[in-house]
Amino acid sequence: MQPSVAERRPQSFDRVLSSMCTQPHPAARRAAERFLAANPGDPATYETIAELEREAVASLAEITGLADAVGVDGDTEARGNIGVRENTDSHGDIAAHGYVTSGGSESNIQAVRSARERAESDDPVVVAPESAHFSFHKAASVLGVELRTVPTDDAGRADVDAVAAAVDDDVALVVAVAGSTEYGRVDPIPAMADLAVDAGVPLHVDAAWGGFHLPFSGHDWGFDVDGVETLTIDPHKVGRAAVPAGGLLARDPTALDALAVDTPYLETASQASLTGTRSGAGVASAAAAMDELWPDGYRAEYERASELAAWFAEELRSRELDVVDPELPLVAFDLPRATFEAVRERGWRISRTGAGEARVVVMPHVTRGSLSAFLDDLDDLDAPR
Ligand SMILES: Cc1ncc(COP(=O)(O)O)c(C=O)c1O
């Protein structure tokens, strides 16, 4: 007989090496539990969670350079979620610039939807590097837009010339990736932004995974780059919030207004989120995690994870495995198929890139101890029998 739900335990993170989810911060866990039944999708009923969402958006705005770029901070009066349009002056309130989504997929779909709503062409096209997350394929399918993917360069970053060649009058959005899912690569965002500005189209940056590392890495990636109009950044990944907590931000609130629909039976005028009822747990935990960790905790994690990724890459190289040089803390490396299968047999939760390399995402739960144990298993499998 199956054990009951109460008897089952979530699986341990000890051997999880390729996931972009991680253990929530203890403060995030506590906040999630307290706000389990609150619905940020109905801010006129659930006022406290609406206030926490404002705070979460204000933190995300600081992390991504949006607060500086638009000259507003989180100190204005709490006014509920971004879908609340009537009786609000959206300009000057950072909450009008974003909301807490269900994750990177929703944020990316919404960014494409917003661009489509504002496009001049009847056949809008989104141009993205082939390294873009598969959520853009979902967006294209759901929204009926063409996704035009262009090759990356040898290092796995968007090829700016290829992007330029793909931009024509139908293009409604250019996508750049800041921390690619497979290799952790950061596209040349300033050059792509220049190109987008010249073409008169918005640039969307997908920093779903990379966004909590990039403030410390020296890359140009956020709203301080002119031309970056919308951005995805997920608290439920490196941000250490509970699942689900994504983030969508827009330089100009009209990008979110383009998503709003009227909500006749609610005491608020409209709603811009894709889902209706949303997770209070996700919103509260995002606010709590960023409260605890921004900036020092995230900086410390960036430094720890980067050092660990560099060490792990070196260890793999010393075993004569080909390693893709890590840019952010994600290590992709060649591993013979049989070895890959054997380590999975030993319980390692590891996955492969489309090209077949094994990839280790150095998330907060991944430690020197766990990576040493993984290397010991590799050595053991390699030992003559
Ligand atoms: C760069 C990037 N964008 C978007 C997503 C999708 O995020 P989610 O799974 O939270 O929808 C991911 C997921 O790994 C990602 O790595």
Side-chain angles (χ1 to χ4, degrees):
M1 210 175 65
Q2 284 275 43
S4 69
V5 175
E7 283 163 340
R8 277 180 263 185
R9 293 279 165 269
Q11 94 179 58
S12 144
F13 273 94
D14 286 0
R15 293 192 166 219
V16 173
L17 295 186
S18 297
S19 175
M20 289 182 164
C21 297
T22 193
Q23 293 275 26
H25 186 279
R29 186 184 288 275
R30 288 193 295 273
E33 207 171 317
R34 277 204 309 282
F35 286 88
L36 269 180
N39 173 16
D42 180 2
T45 301
Y46 301 97
E47 290 164 3
T48 311
I49 197 68
E51 219 170 277
L52 288 175
E53 181 166 29
R54 281 198 79 273
E55 287 171 29
V57 171
S59 295
L60 289 172
E62 225 181 291
I63 293 168
T64 59
L66 178 62
D68 281 346
V70 298
V72 290
D73 60 28
D75 293 335
T76 50
E77 193 191 335
R79 279 195 283 239
N81 80 351
I82 51 91
V84 185
R85 279 284 160 266
E86 239 164 50
N87 307 323
T88 66
D89 161 24
S90 62
H91 301 274
D93 182 349
I94 201 69
H97 293 261
Y99 77 99
V100 177
T101 67
S102 58
S105 299
E106 178 180 339
S107 303
N108 289 340
I109 291 168
Q110 290 278 76
V112 173
R113 184 173 155 230
S114 171
R116 187 195 68 173
E117 295 304 305
R118 293 174 295 144
E120 280 166 20
S121 166
D122 292 332
D123 300 303
V125 171
V126 173
V127 172
E130 63 193 2
S131 53
H133 186 259
F134 56 72
S135 48
F136 290 100
H137 292 270
K138 294 184 185 176
S141 155
V142 177
L143 296 165
V145 304
E146 180 195 331
L147 179 64
R148 199 172 279 167
T149 54
V150 297
T152 51
D153 63 17
D154 292 345
R157 298 184 191 92
D159 177 331
V160 180
D161 292 337
V163 174
V167 173
D168 61 21
D169 290 347
D170 286 326
V171 170
L173 183 70
V174 176
V175 172
V177 187
S180 63
T181 316
E182 295 195 318
Y183 299 104
R185 290 291 188 247
V186 182
D187 286 340
I189 288 168
M192 292 174 76
D194 282 349
L195 192 160
V197 169
D198 287 348
V201 296
L203 181 76
H204 173 72
V205 171
D206 182 0
W209 173 70
F212 285 88
H213 285 316
L214 288 160
F216 315 107
S217 70
H219 291 89
D220 291 318
W221 65 287
F223 286 101
D224 50 338
V225 179
D226 281 344
V228 172
E229 294 300 327
T230 52
L231 188 144
T232 293
I233 172 170
D234 282 356
H236 73 196
K237 296 187 170 72
V238 180
R240 295 197 62 197
V243 175
L248 174 65
L249 297 172
R251 184 186 295 274
D252 183 341
T254 59
L256 293 161
D257 290 343
L259 300 171
V261 298
D262 292 345
T263 51
Y265 70 87
L266 297 179
E267 285 306 307
T268 44
S270 63
Q271 191 175 81
S273 54
L274 187 60
T275 56
T277 299
R278 291 186 287 131
S279 170
V283 168
S285 68
M290 290 186 283
D291 224 29
E292 289 283 331
L293 295 170
W294 170 255
D296 295 346
Y298 292 131
R299 182 187 294 109
E301 175 54 22
Y302 168 72
E303 286 166 1
R304 183 201 75 92
S306 301
E307 257 173 51
L308 192 54
W311 170 82
F312 183 59
E314 236 3 86
E315 288 290 319
L316 293 166
R317 282 195 189 102
S318 73
R319 288 162 174 79
E320 288 175 11
L321 293 167
D322 276 341
V323 180
V324 180
D325 245 343
E327 180 171 10
L328 291 176
L330 192 166
V331 185
F333 55 101
D334 281 335
L335 196 62
R337 192 186 183 86
T339 315
F340 179 85
E341 277 156 18
V343 290
R344 281 208 47 106
E345 283 281 299
R346 292 191 178 198
W348 294 101
R349 299 295 115 209
I350 185 166
S351 67
R352 278 169 289 192
T353 65
E357 296 107 338
R359 58 189 264 288
V360 166
V361 189
V362 185
M363 292 296 285
H365 64 269
V366 175
T367 62
R368 176 113 172 204
S370 58
L371 292 181
S372 296
F374 175 78
L375 291 167
D376 287 347
D377 269 352
L378 281 188
D379 293 342
D380 187 41
L381 288 164
D382 205 28
R385 267 147 231 283

